[in-house]
């Protein structure tokens, strides 16, 4: 199984070397690692070039785009830029530049996909540093494959139509994988260090974009309210709830295009309600 990994990177000079060291130190190295620098103003590209010169399976690319930050879309567009330069692969990954992988990460991933032909997506879990300890980054369920460590089987990736260019891309992909009858799996034994915790610099714009994403995933208003309440609670930011709802309403008024078809949307809503009722019955 050929493994190709793409890392979109923007101003990551503080983390990139640690990240790439963890790739180089793998017991089963990827066949290809593409670092795509997107308009960095620091030495990100130079760091990537240094590793590319030492390791033939690593390459460094530069992408020129607008300096304007567009939540979700920028990272997906940068990933797709790298994807256009990728060789043939069986497993394709979108990873962030601020992570440190355990040394046996891809050895385990390779085994997981080899052992289960229905497996469409797989990952470890993200941990952040609090004091002297690394603790689970508790902003999503442990069975959710997080955005910084996405690894897809090629068949699944093609079935879901690749990544959606906007906020929510790393949720809709999991839902669509399940829609197409693929299994998704997180390995709790693989603890990935996340050097920059999620949520830093949460802006009003990005919060509203989350509401737009829920609309585009065809959640409906009631499910959106439940999801918004959960996010606000996890982030300990009450105002986040109202900004998400505002974003959903704005998207509905503007009749923004959906990420999924009506049939896929029906599946997603049923799946979400099933999860909610399951938690209620357990609690």
């Amino acid at each position: 199984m050929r493994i190709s990994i793409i890392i979109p990177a923007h101003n990551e000079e503080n983390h990139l070397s640690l990240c790439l060291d963890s790739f180089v130190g793998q017991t089963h190295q990827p066949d290809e690692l593409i670092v795509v620098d997107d308009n960095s103003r620091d030495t990100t590209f130079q760091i990537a070039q240094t590793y590319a010169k030492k390791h033939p399976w690593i390459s460094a690319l530069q992408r020129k785009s607008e300096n304007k930050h567009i939540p979700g879309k920028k990272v997906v567009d940068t990933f797709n830029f790298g994807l256009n330069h990728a060789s043939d692969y069986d497993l394709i990954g979108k990873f962030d530049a601020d992570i440190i992988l355990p040394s046996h990460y891809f050895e385990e991933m390779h085994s997981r996909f080899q052992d289960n032909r229905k497996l469409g997506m797989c990952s470890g879990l993200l941990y952040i540093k609090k004091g002297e300890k690394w603790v689970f980054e508790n902003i999503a369920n442990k069975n959710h494959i997080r955005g910084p460590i996405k690894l897809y089987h090629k068949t699944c990736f093609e079935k879901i139509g690749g990544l959606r260019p906007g906020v929510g891309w790393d949720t809709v992909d999991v839902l669509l994988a399940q829609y197409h009858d693929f299994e998704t799996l997180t390995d709790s034994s693989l603890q990935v260090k996340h050097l920059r915790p999620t949520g830093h610099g949460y802006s009003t714009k990005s919060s509203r974009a989350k509401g737009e994403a829920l609309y585009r995933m065809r959640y409906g208003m009631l499910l959106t309210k439940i999801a918004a309440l959960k996010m606000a609670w996890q982030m300990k930011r009450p105002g986040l709830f109202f900004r998400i709802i505002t974003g959903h309403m704005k998207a509905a008024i503007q009749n923004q295009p959906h990420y999924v078809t009506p049939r896929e949307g029906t599946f997603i809503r049923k799946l979400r309600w099933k999860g909610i009722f399951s938690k209620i019955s357990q609690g």
Side-chain angles (χ1 to χ4, degrees), residues 60-236:
L61 304 176
Q62 277 187 308
R63 172 179 180 257
K64 298 297 182 183
S65 63
E66 294 182 16
N67 288 324
K68 181 180 179 183
H69 176 61
I70 307 173
K73 186 177 187 305
K74 285 273 283 185
V75 69
V76 171
D77 287 347
T78 304
F79 168 84
N80 286 334
F81 182 90
L83 186 62
N84 289 334
H85 293 81
S87 304
D88 190 29
Y89 58 85
D90 299 295
L91 304 177
I92 183 72
K94 177 270 168 199
F95 282 60
D96 281 5
D98 61 349
I99 60 167
I100 299 177
L101 301 170
S103 62
H104 59 303
Y105 191 86
F106 287 110
E107 183 178 348
E108 291 296 324
M109 289 293 107
H110 189 272
S111 295
R112 293 287 190 173
F113 281 101
Q114 287 276 38
D115 294 342
N116 185 355
R117 296 195 176 193
K118 293 194 69 176
L119 187 60
M121 299 173 62
C122 193
S123 77
L125 296 177
L126 291 176
Y127 281 68
I128 57 174
K129 195 169 187 179
K130 286 192 175 181
E132 297 301 316
K133 295 182 178 180
W134 289 90
V135 299
F136 174 66
E137 189 174 24
N138 191 26
I139 65 168
N141 295 329
K142 285 192 174 183
N143 61 359
H144 177 68
I145 297 173
R146 295 282 307 282
I149 46 175
K150 293 282 190 178
L151 188 62
Y152 310 81
H153 192 282
K154 182 177 183 178
T155 305
C156 176
F157 187 77
E158 291 178 345
K159 275 283 188 180
I160 67 175
L163 307 186
R164 303 301 189 271
V167 172
W169 68 269
D170 55 343
T171 297
V172 71
D173 61 344
V174 176
L175 297 170
L176 288 176
Q178 294 172 305
Y179 173 80
H180 288 287
D181 203 31
F182 288 98
E183 295 178 13
T184 63
L185 176 70
T186 55
D187 186 337
S188 60
S189 70
L190 296 174
Q191 298 183 5
V192 180
K193 294 178 179 178
H194 198 191
L195 301 176
R196 185 175 50 240
T198 304
H200 280 274
Y202 246 110
S203 66
T204 298
K205 182 177 180 180
S206 63
S207 300
R208 288 176 179 170
K210 287 187 176 295
E212 294 175 11
L214 294 173
Y215 168 81
R216 299 179 74 177
M217 285 188 276
R218 298 183 185 270
Y219 264 48
M221 181 54 79
L222 182 54
L223 275 174
T224 295
K225 287 180 178 179
I226 294 172
L229 188 62
K230 179 182 177 181
M231 281 186 257
W233 177 265
Q234 288 173 333
M235 299 303 297
K236 295 180 173 56

Side-chain angles (χ1 to χ4, degrees), residues 237-254:
R237 300 187 182 190
L240 182 60
F241 172 84
F242 299 101
R243 291 194 292 271
I244 290 173
I245 298 303
T246 299
H248 183 280
M249 294 174 63
K250 178 183 176 182
I253 292 170
Q254 294 176 340

Side-chain angles (χ1 to χ4, degrees), residues 5-23:
I5 304 296
I6 299 168
I7 298 180
H10 174 71
N11 292 340
E12 292 286 2
E13 65 179 8
N14 293 331
H15 306 117
L16 186 57
S17 292
L18 292 171
C19 175
L20 296 182
D21 283 342
S22 74
F23 277 86

